[in-house]
Amino acid sequence: MILFPDLPDLLIEHVDIADEITLMLRTTSPTSSCPTCGTSSTQVQSRYRRTLHDLPSAGRPVHLIVHLRRFFCKKSTCAQKVFVERLPELCRPHAHRTIRLQEALCLLGLRVGGQAGADVGSEMGLSGSRDTILRLVRRSGQPATSEPRVIGLDDWAYKRRLRYGTLICDLERNHPIDLLADRKVSTVEAWLKKHPSIDIVSRDGSSEYASAISKGAPQARQVSDRWHLVKNLAECVSVQLAESLAQLRRAEQMRTRSETKEKGHTSEERHPARTRAVQHAQLARQAERTARYEHIVALQKQGMQSAEIALHLGVTQRTIQRWIVTGTIPYSGPRKQRPRLIDPYKTYLLKRWHQGCRKGAQLEREVRARGYKGSGRALYRYLETLEPTRLPARSRGSPSTEHQPNPLLALSAQQATWLFFRKEEVLKAEEQETLRQMRQASPHVETTYQLVNAFLRMVRERTGEQLDDWLEAVQASHLEAFQTFVAGVQRDKDAVLAGLTLPWSNGPLEGHVNRLKLIKRSMYGRAEFDLLKRRVLHQSKRNQERKDKYKHYQGQQANRLLKNGTNSQHTITGISRVA
Ligand SMILES: [Zn+2]
C-alpha cells in the first residue's frame, strides 16, 4: 500500500531484500481494455515478465518484476488482435523505468544537467546514464504558460560577438517563457505574431528589436530599458570626462614644466627619494633587531650566561656581550651610505652636466680617463639623479616636492564616471571630496554633472515628463559628447518616455540571462540549443509557488499605492547597480 498507493490492482507477491530490493508483482484485475479500440477483454492469450527499475528505498536500488498478461481483442473489426495489459500509472509501454524514476531523472537533468545528473543520481541509487537523462529531458513537455501581457526581450551571447540568441520573459510573472536561437528581426517578429495578447514590450535600445516589435506586435507599447539608457549615457559621459581630465593633466604638466624652468639649474644634485618600500624594509629590520635585543635582555634576567644565549639565538658570544655592554637597542636610523667609487667624480660630472653634456657614453669615457673604476650602471644611476623631469617615476614619491599633486590627475575616466553615476549619499567621504574637486575643475564638468544628475532623477523617480526640458538643456550646453546619446533618445523617444514613466524594465531579465549563462557554461560547451532551452525554461514547482505568493503580495501593494495615488514606490531593480 505504501509502495504503490495509486495501483489497487497490483498485488505484491514476494519481496526479496538483499543489497538490492526485488518485488514480484502481479495484476489482479480480471479484464483489460484494448488500447486501439477500447473494448474490454477477459480472454488471456499468454503471460510474460517485465523488469522495471524504480526509485531506491533506504539507499538500496529497487527492481520490480511484474507478471503481465496478453489479451485477445474481442472486436472482430479491430486491427489489433492481441494486446498487452497496460499500467499507465506505473510505467510507459516498453520503458525500463517506472514513471516516477523517469520523472526524478528528468528533474535532475533539468536542474543540474546530463552528466552531473547521472553522477548525482548514481550516488543516490537512481539508475540512469547521461544519455538516458538527456533523452528524458528532451521528451519532457514544455511548461504550460498562460498568454503573456507584458514581456521583456534581451539578447544573450551563444558565442560572444559571433552568435546571439533572444531571451523572452513574462515580466508580470517574472519567468522566462521562451528562448529564440537568434536575434534577427524576422525571428522575433514571427514569435510576437504568435502572441497577440502582448500589450507592453520592454527592450534595450537596439533598432533591431524595435523594428521587430513594430512589425510583429504593432499594438504593443515599447519600453526602452532604463538600465541600458543609463549605460549608454555613462559611455558618453565617460568620453566627456576623459577629455576634461586630459585637459587638466595637460595644464598641470605645463605648470610643472614652467616651475622647473624657474628653478632651473640652480638646484644641485638631487638625491633620489627613499621610496616607501625601502622605508618599510628598514622599519621591519629595525623592529626585528629591537625584538632580538629584548629577547637577549629577557634571557639574561632569567640568569642565562651569554654563551648559552649566543647558542640559543644563533649569534656569536661577542655580539651578545657588546649589545649587553652598550645597553641600548643595537641599531637605529637609516643605513649609512657606504662610500661609492663614483663619489670623487661627482663634482666633475655635475660640472660637465651643466655645461650641457648629457651623453652617458661620453661622460663615462671622460671619467674613466680620469681613473674611475666603478661600473657603468652606477654612473648612469648617478646621472639619473641629475635630471628629475626626465624621470617621473622617481620624482613622484619625492618628499622634496613642495607642491601637493592634484588627486584628480590619478583618476581614470571610468572612475570619474562611476562617481557621477552613484547616489551622492552612498559615496565615501573621500569620494565625495574627489567629486567636489572634479566639479570645480571646469564649468564643462559641472554642467556634465548637472545633466547626469537630472537624467538619473528622471530614471529613479520615473518623471519622464521632464525629458523634453532635459533634452533642451543638453542642446543649450553644447557638450559634444552628449550629442550621440541625445540623437539615440530622439530616434526612440516614445520608448524612452515609456521607460522613464512606466514601472516595467528589463531588470528581471538580467537575472535570467545570468542563470542562462550559468547553465550554458555548466554544459561544457556541448550545450545544444534544445537542451539549453528546456533547462532555462524549466521552473521548479516550489519556485513557482514562491513567485505566485510574491506576485499576490505585490498586487496588494500596487492596489494600496493606487488608492494612495502615488506611483514612485517601485524599486528599480535594473538600475540599482548603476544609479
Ligand atoms: Zn481492439
Side-chain angles (χ1 to χ4, degrees), residues 329-520:
I329 299 168
Y331 175 86
S332 66
R335 223 171 236 188
K336 275 186 196 126
Q337 286 274 323
R338 272 177 291 143
R340 312 260 174 200
L341 290 170
I342 190 87
D343 286 347
Y345 305 94
K346 278 184 178 173
T347 341
Y348 176 75
L349 283 170
L350 200 61
K351 191 182 83 195
R352 293 286 293 129
W353 188 265
H354 287 325
Q355 284 169 353
C357 179
R358 301 282 153 101
K359 285 196 175 128
Q362 170 69 27
L363 290 171
E364 189 178 346
R365 264 197 304 279
E366 291 178 16
V367 286
R368 288 215 184 281
R370 279 169 172 74
Y372 173 58
K373 293 274 189 297
S375 68
R377 238 189 107 191
L379 178 105
Y380 280 96
R381 215 181 293 135
Y382 173 68
L383 291 180
E384 275 176 357
T385 65
L386 298 178
E387 180 55 74
T389 46
R390 264 204 200 164
L391 297 156
R394 281 257 175 121
S395 58
R396 205 196 292 144
S398 164
S400 62
T401 343
E402 295 139 31
H403 174 252
Q404 279 290 315
N406 189 339
L408 298 185
L409 301 177
L411 207 64
S412 73
Q414 204 131 33
Q415 287 166 329
T417 312
W418 186 236
L419 288 178
F420 272 41
F421 277 76
R422 271 187 298 167
K423 285 183 183 161
E424 208 176 333
E425 59 264 30
V426 301
L427 296 180
K428 290 181 207 146
E430 65 260 33
E431 288 173 329
Q432 285 189 6
E433 176 57 24
T434 315
L435 179 62
R436 198 187 55 77
Q437 287 185 5
M438 274 222 70
R439 290 172 58 183
Q440 284 176 351
S442 91
H444 280 339
V445 178
E446 175 61 22
T447 314
T448 308
Y449 180 77
Q450 293 299 345
L451 288 172
V452 168
N453 226 6
F455 192 83
L456 290 180
R457 217 175 304 128
M458 280 194 284
V459 168
R460 288 177 188 137
E461 295 168 9
R462 228 72 61 59
T463 45
E465 64 273 10
Q466 295 167 5
L467 182 62
D468 279 323
D469 290 345
W470 187 82
L471 289 171
E472 273 171 32
V474 173
Q475 289 299 337
S477 75
H478 299 294
L479 285 174
E480 192 92 347
F482 275 85
Q483 299 312 318
T484 9
F485 180 73
V486 167
V489 169
Q490 295 284 18
R491 260 200 309 275
D492 198 19
K493 203 168 162 194
D494 284 342
V496 172
L497 207 58
L500 294 176
T501 322
L502 299 177
W504 309 109
S505 83
N506 274 8
L509 263 89
E510 293 288 317
H512 291 300
V513 169
N514 278 337
R515 182 170 156 262
L516 184 153
K517 283 184 198 161
L518 186 74
I519 294 175
K520 193 186 75 178

Side-chain angles (χ1 to χ4, degrees), residues 74 97 144 148 160 178 299 367 461 507 534 554:
K74 286 200 275 187
R97 293 175 180 81
R160 215 161 170 199
D178 215 341
L299 291 177
V367 286
E461 295 168 9
R534 277 172 199 279
Q554 266 193 327

Side-chain angles (χ1 to χ4, degrees), residues 5-54:
D6 298 332
L7 300 168
D9 293 339
L10 214 55
L11 186 78
I12 300 174
E13 285 193 312
H14 178 73
V15 181
D16 180 31
I17 301 176
D19 288 345
E20 298 184 349
I21 299 172
T22 311
L23 282 86
M24 305 285 256
L25 302 169
R26 185 166 60 81
T27 47
T28 52
S29 145
T31 61
S32 183
S33 299
C34 169
T36 309
C37 67
T39 314
S40 178
S41 170
T42 50
Q43 218 178 331
V44 175
Q45 188 246 7
S46 59
R47 291 166 201 277
Y48 80 109
R49 277 175 13 159
R50 218 173 131 183
T51 309
L52 291 165
H53 295 285
D54 195 18

